[in-house]
Amino acid sequence: MNTTACDVRPAASAETGFDVEKIRHDFPILQQEVYGKPLVYLDNGASSQKPQCVIDAITQCYAHDYANVHRAVHALGERATQAYEGARGKLKSFINARDEKEIIFVRGTTEAINLVAQSYVRPRLKSGDEILITGMEHHSNIVPWQIVCEQTGAILRVVPITDDGELEMEQALRLMTPRTRLVALTHISNVLGTINPLQRIIQAAHSMDIPVLVDGAQAVPHMAVDVQALDCDFYAFSGHKMYGPSGIGVLYGKQELLEEMPPYHGGGDMIRSVSFEKTEYNVLPYKFEAGTPHIAGVIGLGEAVDYLTGIGLAAVAQHEKTLLDYASAVLSEIRGLRIIGQAREKASIVSFTIEGIHPHDIGTIVDREGIAIRAGHHCAMPLMQRYGLPATARASFGIYNTLEEIDSLVNALHKAQELFGV
């Protein structure tokens, strides 16, 4: 007998101590209607909404405390610098880095990966060397490695994935060879939701003295991340996916590796002294923070860390698992709906297709019901090719989403089927 939405509905999240209604009140953008319907925002994999405290922190910076950092002796400059460096300390604790020198502020995950590609990997590559990535990477963890391979004559190797969306681990281990100079992989797939077995991969890579970069953009808002426990060499993530501002992110790197790397950009804070004959570079972390940084963005990101930490990443993970389990169950009841990605370890992302309706049409129709989902290739075109699909629809959940919103999505998908007569 088929289950129904009511049959599969789990116990209320309130039983876990997670107060989703209180959290929803923290996000002013959610208090609106779209096309006359309450906004249901299920596009958190692309970007998340911002709580009032993050908005207030940015406003406070520009309204009362703004000045350039690390330069001025006046009061505003000191306050801005204190807030900026205070945020660095929060990020250090958030991912359990050993030292604040290991926290480099960048524009986002993409810049962080490009920084490592050009500053760490490129000087170590020669023709015939290999970079190993996986078949579930998004473009930002593919293209920088293709560029550096074109520059050096190195070769890009790709770990295949199973139909369920898991890495083929035997292949991953086989593809690590004495010619491999770096393994770069995502912590959580932005399409499949797959949580990769990082510790096993990192241990295997390190046994062959191969460093590992982790793309953590989809992980840090949803689970506790401990870079020391993982023992990864680099970890990259963005602020805007973790309820912080856009245009700011973090590259974590082990200090000894960052010390070896030359600057990526020149000018501003990365300089200790300059003459026309020679430039002496600054120490970590400033060596990699050229120019005037995104000061308000860093301060807002620090506030987002406080907000997430205040809720607790364990409670966040439990709430989102409840949403994922429920969504997987009720969406599976829809005739002709196929979920792409059935890994045993998954985060709160559900990509799907519906027979007879293009994903772009799905996205447009549910939008008219006030529901925001993503439809397209999700910046992961090779992964779409792996499944023989041009695109999928994707619902990705965050801390403010509810079971009722998933029911609204299900109802909207039934309406889409009625419109298309499928």
Side-chain angles (χ1 to χ4, degrees), residues 178-250:
R179 291 183 297 184
T180 308
R181 294 292 171 263
L182 183 86
V183 174
L185 79 165
T186 186
H187 197 162
I188 293 176
S189 165
N190 71 317
V191 176
L192 308 171
T194 304
I195 303 174
N196 280 320
L198 285 188
Q199 285 187 310
R200 185 180 176 193
I201 292 170
I202 291 169
Q203 287 173 4
H206 284 179
S207 72
M208 300 176 70
D209 293 326
I210 303 170
V212 178
L213 175 142
V214 179
D215 172 355
Q218 297 291 340
V220 288
H222 307 293
M223 60 194 297
V225 171
D226 185 332
V227 293
Q228 291 192 67
L230 288 173
D231 197 27
C232 56
D233 299 280
F234 299 100
Y235 196 97
F237 57 99
S238 301
H240 70 98
K241 294 187 196 300
M242 52 178 287
Y243 312 104
S246 59
I248 188 67
V250 169

Side-chain angles (χ1 to χ4, degrees), residues 86-102:
R88 196 188 308 274
K90 294 176 183 179
L91 269 300
K92 167 193 169 290
S93 299
F94 185 60
I95 61 171
N96 194 32
R98 282 167 296 189
D99 195 287
E100 293 179 11
K101 296 175 183 174
E102 298 178 321

Side-chain angles (χ1 to χ4, degrees), residues 34-35 37 40 43 352 354 357-376 391-394 408-409 411-417 419-420:
V34 174
Y35 301 114
K37 310 285 178 56
V40 175
D43 194 18
F352 59 92
I354 297 179
I357 314 177
H358 192 282
H360 287 167
D361 292 324
I362 296 173
T364 300
I365 292 169
V366 304
D367 175 56
R368 296 304 186 272
E369 299 298 317
I371 302 169
I373 63 171
R374 177 81 179 268
T392 71
R394 182 187 71 184
S408 297
L409 173 63
N411 291 333
L413 294 176
H414 282 306
K415 287 187 178 180
Q417 287 184 312
L419 282 171
F420 276 79

